[in-house]
Amino acid sequence: MQDRSIGIFDSGVGGLTVLKEIASLLPRENLVYLGDTARVPYGTKSVETVQRYALEAAEFLVDYGVKLLVVACNTASAVALPLLRERFQLPVIGVIEPGARRAAQSRNHRIGVIGTEGTINSNRYPEAIHALLPGAQVSSVSCPLFVPLAEEGWAEHEIARLTAMEYLQPLAAAQIDTLVLGCTHYPLFRNTLRQVLGDAVTLVDSAEETAKSVQQLFQQQGLERSERGGRSVFFVTDVPARFIRVGEAFLGTNLALVEQVQIG
Ligand code: DGL
């Protein structure tokens, strides 16, 4: 069991931010990543559609023989996690609970959440935060332009700063001390968000927190792989060219072993 891979899926390239954190915290693990690039984005689609896509993506990874399923996509985590847990007999970790746990450490209990329209409309982050910190004041804003800006390589561009100023205005007014980056692409905006919100606001990277949850689960259940040198393989549902180009910018390393597959 320990030698099996960790399966990670996302709507496209963004989940590589989660893969990167898992690979750096658990370098011995083999990782298999599925980016549903033929059907990206999930963030603007209906709950029913995202649930169907998530089930199909998960099925592919379960058939591959993974020991754990990580739902790297915030939108899919928001609407499909209970379904996946019900359908499959293996541990399933999403990005929302880990991010909410970290956010609940807020000092002034005023917390901001940013994400896709699907994630924000689902209300899952505020629910998860309130379960841990009932009195918290949670303000949520969807930032749909961040995904294309990140994929264009403009996360630190002046346009990103102006866009962030506009989106974050209500969160600054709410005097948040913690901001949850509730979308796979948002860790790339760290410097821009710092510029706009200042250093006093804690940025919660759901990708980082999720990697810590995977590590904890493995320690509890004895699922860690002991051999050195884990490797990653990548599957996509559309031609790999764009995934490789944008993905290398996200990861900061070369992407080898990318194969196109059909799911569903
Ligand atoms: N991966 C998605 C998320 O984290 C962002 C991209 C999309 O909309 O599919 O919500």
Side-chain angles (χ1 to χ4, degrees):
M1 189 49 121
Q2 283 91 338
D3 284 332
R4 291 190 178 200
S5 302
I6 299 176
I8 304 168
F9 82 85
D10 178 50
S11 54
V13 78
L16 292 174
T17 55
V18 178
L19 174 129
K20 188 178 176 181
E21 296 299 335
I22 295 176
S24 100
L25 204 57
L26 300 162
R28 298 184 172 195
E29 298 296 331
N30 290 321
L31 309 179
V32 49
Y33 183 93
L34 173 68
D36 193 6
T37 49
R39 307 193 289 196
V40 69
Y42 285 6
T44 51
K45 300 215 164 69
S46 69
V47 168
E48 294 71 26
T49 299
V50 176
Q51 287 178 335
R52 178 160 54 85
Y53 289 174
L55 277 174
E56 289 170 0
E59 219 151 59
F60 173 84
L61 292 171
V62 170
D63 289 348
Y64 186 92
V66 299
K67 60 181 171 183
L68 163 73
L69 197 58
V70 177
V71 184
C73 179
N74 285 256
T75 310
S77 295
V79 302
L81 214 59
L83 259 184
L84 299 176
R85 286 187 170 145
E86 203 180 292
R87 179 72 62 93
F88 302 105
Q89 302 305 311
L90 77 177
V92 182
I93 289 187
V95 285
I96 291 184
E97 286 154 17
R101 253 199 307 278
R102 178 69 187 84
Q105 293 172 21
S106 155
R107 291 171 308 274
N108 73 0
H109 298 188
R110 294 171 186 227
I111 299 164
V113 178
I114 53 176
T116 64
E117 287 171 68
T119 298
I120 299 305
N121 290 342
S122 77
N123 216 32
R124 279 298 295 125
Y125 269 110
E127 280 170 13
I129 294 168
H130 283 138
L132 300 162
L133 194 62
Q137 183 186 310
V138 184
S139 315
S140 308
V141 176
S142 64
C143 304
L145 289 177
F146 278 179
V147 167
L149 283 173
E151 295 197 5
E152 196 62 29
W154 286 1
E156 298 193 357
H157 192 285
E158 178 63 5
I159 291 175
R161 196 182 63 81
L162 293 171
T163 308
M165 277 176 69
E166 189 70 31
Y167 281 144
L168 299 182
Q169 204 278 325
L171 302 184
Q175 297 181 316
I176 57 162
D177 76 349
T178 302
L179 177 69
V180 180
L181 313 184
C183 173
T184 47
H185 291 58
Y186 297 179
L188 280 83
F189 291 87
R190 193 172 270 280
N191 291 337
T192 299
L193 294 169
R194 283 242 155 282
Q195 267 185 43
V196 172
L197 290 172
D199 288 334
V201 173
T202 302
L203 302 180
V204 175
D205 181 341
S206 290
E208 239 173 68
E209 300 305 320
T210 301
K212 290 182 204 159
S213 292
V214 172
Q215 186 180 41
Q216 256 173 21
L217 179 91
F218 279 11
Q219 283 165 356
Q220 281 161 9
Q221 302 201 356
L223 281 171
E224 294 153 299
R225 181 169 180 265
S226 48
E227 265 172 63
R228 282 175 185 279
R231 51 176 225 141
S232 302
V233 294
F234 302 87
F235 294 99
V236 287
T237 54
D238 196 7
V239 288
R242 181 180 161 84
F243 177 85
I244 293 173
R245 180 170 55 81
V246 179
E248 288 186 344
F250 270 51
L251 273 182
T253 54
N254 283 357
L255 269 174
L257 305 171
V258 185
E259 193 184 315
Q260 183 176 352
V261 291
Q262 241 190 334
I263 60 170

